[in-house]
Every structure is written in structure tokens, then in C-alpha cells.
Amino acid sequence: MPTATGIRRRVAAVWGRLPLRIRLVAGFAAAMLLVLTAAGAFVYLRVQYALDLRLNEDLADQCAQLRAAATTAAGPDSASLLPHGQFYQVLDTGNRVLAFAPGLSGPSLLRPDELRTALRAPLREDRGALLPISDRPLRILAVPLHPGAGAAGPAVALVAVRRDERDEALRELIGQLALAQLAALAVASFVGYRLARAALVPVERYRTQAAQIADGATGVRLPVPSGSHDEVARLGRTLNDMLAALETALERERRFVADASHELRTPLTLLSTELELALRRTRSTAELEEVVRRAAADTQDLINLADTLLQVGAFTDPAGIAVASVDVTELLTTLTSRYRPATGGRPLHLQVAPGLLVPGDAAALGQILTNLLDNAVRHGAGPITVHADTSDAGVRIVVHDEGPGINPGFLPHATERFARADTARTTPGAGLGLALVDTIVRGHSGQMLICSYTLHHPTTGDGPTAPTCIHPPTGTTVTVLLPDTASRRR
């Protein structure tokens, strides 16, 4: 036998397979049914109260007349106590009928337990149901009397009125309310279905377009009305933005694969050529050693390129970065001291404020300065200046050189992987230095800004605002903004 949990699961499974518009209409219809039923019940109770109030007033008037007549009459066998057409009975304590109207001849209308109640306090009861229809529906009111003489005297006065008109009015009201509720529910369900269908038409169009995109179509965008600002339109615009971002990412990945293949092909081709040449004829030990050295150098280039690619991938996810308090002042001082012999005799100046602390990975932050110094040595000229201080955004690290600057057309692509300007293709490197710096900076919730002067025309790299260059308008300035502990709390 299925359990309650199993039944609920089956119902949920069936409900989940229904179309969304059917579920919306079903929920709307259930809510409307509840509201209409509550409204109908309120109307029914108000009408019933009004009709019952009228019946109870008639009963009270007749009961007062019967009590007065029963206490003044000569005896129970006297003439009619109330006018003809009204129903009454006078009962003694043994539930025997002492006087009655012609229409209520026969046994007492009260059961023994009801009589005992009526001897103490007024009792109001109904005889006959509203549904199904009774032959003689009555409402009775029994009140106690002071016995006239002994136990056999009148004890209870009972009056009754027919409920035919009242019950007929209530049955008619129930029928009209039921028809009105059915009609209102049908109209509301039809309107709700049409509204749900109209609201979901754009969603169906979006699904069709998404199916085309899943089949490989490119450049497809969802049709979103320009003047609409409802939830479906906002969803369409968000999906269009997502599609644009996905296409951009896909294009970037394709370009990355092509560039990576090109960069890997060059050392592999050199390595293969050198090994083939070494095998064409017999060579001396010195020649073979030279070939092995060149092959080892080409292999090391491949290893360096692979390591750089792994570093770029490792810092793409900020959750994978180890966070600790890093003393930027000490880090920059140590790195610049170690790097001075590699500048080729060019001056390397350090201006750093004391006590600069940022949360992050010390090794990754050190990679930022190392790559920026490598770029300044390879592509710049003149003295190199490293400056670090605090700003509104946190800690600011600036690396400046007096080189020829960066071409304005290339500047927006300077942080892309394997991106190299034409003037930089003759120098060592794979075009991953700035890409790695940008990845590490973004992984630390920071920002990198490039300010370069070419022919005294300033241009700015990625970022919402241009950095404030603290050097004369020549060369290239790279500014890294890293949030410190206080700014992250804000």
C-alpha cells in the first residue's frame, strides 16, 4: 500500500511534468475558487441570519401570546389559545399534550431530553433538513410555564412556524451562488490562461533561439522589445549580455589556443630541427654537446611557457588564492634589491611608504613586481622607478620607465594572453607578463591601470579611471591598486 510520502512524490512528479501555463492557471483557479467560496459563504450566512432573525421574531411574538393564554385559560381542553393557522402545543411535565393547534395534533414535538431542557430555559430547535427537502420543515420554540395545579398542569408552551419560504430562499441562493461561482471561475481561468500564454510567448521564443545557439549558431540574439521593461524583457537582455560574454570568451579562448599553438610550435620546431641536423652526419663530442645545450635551452623555454600558462590558470579563481597578511613594504624592498643586478646597469629607484599591509598571496604579489620590472627592462629605457604608498582604494604600487611607450592601438589589448606589440616581437617573451599580472591583481580584488605616453599623447589601459601619473609625461607607468584590510572591511 503506498505511503503518504510516496503519494506526495507521485503528485509532485505529475505536477512537475505539466506545462508551466497549466500550472499557473491551476494555481490561479484554485485561489479564485477559494476566494469565491469564501465570498459565497459570507453572502449565504448574511442572508440566513436575516431570514432566521425574522423567524425568531415571529416565534417570540407567538410564544408570548401562548404563555399569556395558557396561564389565563380555564383548562387545557378550552378553545384554541392562538388564532387559526398558527402552530402550538402546551405540554405538562410528563411530555403529554394538554392543548394543541389543529395542525399539530398527535404526540409532543419534544423528545424527553429536550423537554427537560425546556423546563429550565427556552429551547429553540429545527425539524426537517434544508437538503434534502423535508415535507414539513418547522422551527419550534419551547419555554417553561408556571404549573397551574399539581404535576398535571401546563409546564411548557411550544410554538412553531414553517420554514418553507426560508428554506426555499436559501436553496435558491445556494444554486445561484454555485452558478455564479462556476461562471466566474470559468471566465477567470480562461483569462488567466490567455494571460499566462501571452506572458510565456517570449519565453518560448527565447527557448527556440537558445536551441539554435545550442546547435552551433553564432551571432544570434534574443528578440527583446526596446520599450518593454518587464521581467521577461529584463531576462532577455540579461541572456543577451550572457551570450555576448560567452561569445567573447569563446573567441578569446580560440585566439588563446591559436596563439599558444604558435608559441609552442616555435621552440618545438627549433628543437626538432636541431636534433634532425645532429643526426644527419657524424659529429664530434663538442658539436653534440652544443646541440644538447641548444635543445636543453629550447626545452627550458617550453617549460617556462607551460609554467606561465599554469600560473595564469591558477590565479583565475580568487578562491584558490591563499590569503595572508603581506608586508608590501618589506616585499618590494627585498625584490628590488635582488633585481638590481638584472637591470643591465640601469638605475632602479624605490620609494615605498612604511607599514603597507595587504591581504593576499606573497608569492603572487611578488610575481606582479617581477613581471612589471621584466617588462620595464625589456621594452623600456632609462631609469626604472618603483613607488608604493596608500590611496583611497588601498595600497598603490607604481612602476615607471622612460621608454618609448606603448602604441595607443595596442594598449587596450596589452593584458591579453600572448598579446605583443609589433615592436615587442623581436624581444624575448611570449606576451604573458601583463596577462599574468592582470590575472593576479583581479584575483586579489584589485585593479591594474596603464598610463603610457607616445609622442606626448597620453593613453590609458583598462579601468574605470586613468591613473594619476606621478612622473613626467614620458614612458610608461603601470599602476596596481590593491585593497588593504581596512578597505576590504568597508
Side-chain angles (χ1 to χ4, degrees), residues 267 271 294-304:
L271 181 60
R294 289 196 297 266
D298 293 335
T299 303
Q300 187 61 44
D301 290 340
L302 288 172
I303 294 174
N304 293 337

Side-chain angles (χ1 to χ4, degrees), residues 30 86 169 180 228 260 349 383 460:
Q86 296 182 357
S228 179
H349 305 296
T460 310

Side-chain angles (χ1 to χ4, degrees), residues 108-253:
S108 170
L109 292 179
L110 296 182
R111 296 187 296 271
D113 57 331
E114 294 175 341
L115 177 66
R116 290 191 294 270
T117 302
L119 288 172
R120 296 190 302 269
L123 173 68
R124 183 180 292 111
E125 289 289 336
D126 283 335
R127 294 289 184 267
L130 178 67
L131 290 173
I133 302 176
S134 301
D135 293 336
R136 192 176 68 169
L138 296 174
R139 172 163 296 179
I140 61 177
L141 175 63
V143 296
L145 296 173
H146 295 293
V156 173
L158 181 150
V159 294
V161 294
R162 293 189 65 92
R163 302 192 334 262
D164 300 82
E165 295 182 357
R166 176 256 190 193
D167 289 357
E168 181 64 24
L170 290 179
R171 286 191 290 268
E172 182 69 19
L173 178 62
I174 292 174
Q176 292 178 0
L177 288 176
L179 291 176
Q181 286 185 6
L182 291 176
L185 187 62
V187 173
S189 300
F190 176 76
V191 173
Y193 178 82
R194 298 291 294 182
L195 290 176
R197 183 177 179 182
L200 293 175
V201 166
V203 177
E204 182 63 23
R205 289 201 301 266
Y206 294 169
R207 188 200 63 78
T208 303
Q209 298 284 16
Q212 296 178 6
I213 295 171
D215 291 337
T218 59
V220 179
R221 293 294 181 270
L222 305 179
V224 181
S226 58
S228 179
H229 299 283
D230 56 15
E231 291 81 357
V232 177
R234 293 198 297 272
L235 173 63
R237 294 188 183 94
T238 302
L239 291 176
N240 282 337
D241 294 339
M242 182 188 70
L243 291 174
L246 289 176
E247 289 186 359
T248 301
L250 180 60
E251 180 60 29
R252 186 179 301 159
E253 292 303 318

Side-chain angles (χ1 to χ4, degrees), residues 336-389:
T336 52
S337 298
R338 293 178 180 176
Y339 203 87
R340 279 193 175 92
T343 60
R346 292 168 55 186
L348 177 56
H349 305 296
L350 175 64
Q351 302 172 3
V352 58
L356 300 179
L357 298 176
V358 298
D361 189 316
L365 295 177
Q367 189 72 44
I368 292 176
L369 181 62
T370 302
N371 285 18
L372 293 181
L373 290 176
D374 283 341
N375 279 347
V377 171
R378 291 176 182 178
H379 310 297
I384 303 172
T385 303
V386 178
H387 179 89
D389 59 4

